Amino acid sequence: LSFFFPFQLAALERQVFDFLGYQWAPILANFLHIIIVILGLFGTIQYRPRYIVVYAIWTAIWVTWNIFIICFYLEVGGLSKDSELLTFNISRHQSWWSENGPGCVRKEASMSGIKGLDNHSYISVIGCALEYRYIEVMHSSFQILIALVGFVYACYVVSVFTEEEDSFDFIGGFDPFPLYHVNEKPTNLLFKQTYLLISPTGFSGLERMNK
């Protein structure tokens, strides 16, 4: 059961940083992922193979989603990391790591003197040891890795549960000897006893039967 705990921790860590960056699409995807991981854990505890199958199917979807995130930040196939796709075009927020990455220094410069921007400030980020898009790519790559491990583990657990159910259903099914043996007297012996009881000899019949 502790196998699922690293998955939950990784999903929660990803959710926290996506919340800080107001990345609504990843937030929704992470929320569904956490629910499915809990469902897989419940299926393992309660011996529900169907729940684990749902988790296995979701891992394939989760891998696909993280591949898309990698393509998004690497700007593959016409995608742009500066677009508002991950925020549903609601805001212009970017990844939290874009301003808070390792070594990053955030500076604000007043926009006074520029018409219409007097109350705004320009934010610049310098000195980052690693560009934020590569941090997001590493996050997604790690999620893909643990999802593949989870898929293999889910298939193994389902196969074990299925074998246990099959062995339970057929216990004693091929046993040549019954579990309970009942001694039954032949039908002709029962008729013989009845004949002796109702024979005219009366007690002599009983005596012979007792012998």
Side-chain angles (χ1 to χ4, degrees):
L1 300 180
S2 59
F3 179 84
F4 284 94
F5 293 153
F7 294 175
Q8 292 176 326
L9 292 177
L12 289 173
E13 182 266 345
R14 180 84 172 271
Q15 184 74 308
V16 168
F17 289 112
D18 286 337
F19 257 118
L20 293 174
Y22 300 99
Q23 303 292 287
W24 304 117
I27 287 171
L28 178 60
N30 293 332
F31 177 76
L32 292 175
H33 181 62
I34 293 171
I35 296 298
I36 299 298
V37 170
I38 294 174
L39 187 66
L41 176 62
F42 177 79
T44 304
I45 296 174
Q46 297 295 326
Y47 297 93
R48 302 290 180 87
R50 292 182 180 178
Y51 293 169
I52 305 176
V53 170
V54 171
Y55 170 77
I57 296 173
W58 170 256
T59 56
I61 301 174
W62 185 243
V63 168
T64 304
W65 167 255
N66 282 279
I67 291 175
F68 166 76
I69 294 296
I70 291 174
C71 294
F72 176 83
Y73 282 106
L74 294 181
E75 300 183 333
V76 177
L79 297 172
S80 175
K81 62 182 176 59
D82 296 323
S83 68
E84 302 173 10
L85 185 62
L86 297 184
T87 59
F88 296 132
N89 295 322
I90 298 175
S91 64
R92 297 186 59 85
H93 288 92
Q94 292 183 338
S95 170
W96 181 82
W97 297 103
S98 63
E99 298 180 5
N100 301 275
C104 292
V105 177
R106 184 174 181 270
K107 292 185 176 181
E108 295 185 10
S110 176
M111 303 293 290
S112 60
I114 302 178
K115 186 178 180 180
L117 297 177
D118 291 339
N119 296 327
H120 293 77
S121 60
Y122 173 76
I123 299 174
S124 62
V125 181
I126 59 175
C128 295
L130 186 63
E131 193 174 350
Y132 75 93
R133 62 174 178 170
Y134 296 120
I135 298 177
E136 293 288 355
V137 167
M138 288 190 295
H139 264 99
S140 295
S141 300
F142 180 70
Q143 290 292 330
I144 291 173
L145 177 62
I146 61 176
L148 293 176
V149 175
F151 177 81
V152 173
Y153 178 77
C155 293
Y156 169 75
V157 172
V158 170
S159 65
V160 170
F161 285 176
T162 303
E163 290 177 359
E164 289 180 354
E165 288 180 356
D166 292 341
S167 62
F168 177 79
D169 291 339
F170 292 100
I171 286 178
F174 300 100
D175 191 355
F177 300 100
L179 295 176
Y180 300 98
H181 179 71
V182 180
N183 292 322
E184 296 182 355
K185 295 182 180 180
T187 306
N188 58 350
L189 180 59
L190 293 176
F191 278 113
K192 184 177 179 180
Q193 292 177 353
T194 304
Y195 170 77
L196 293 174
L197 288 172
I198 62 176
S199 62
T201 55
F203 291 105
S204 61
L206 292 174
E207 291 175 357
R208 282 183 293 172
M209 183 184 68
N210 294 330
K211 291 181 181 179

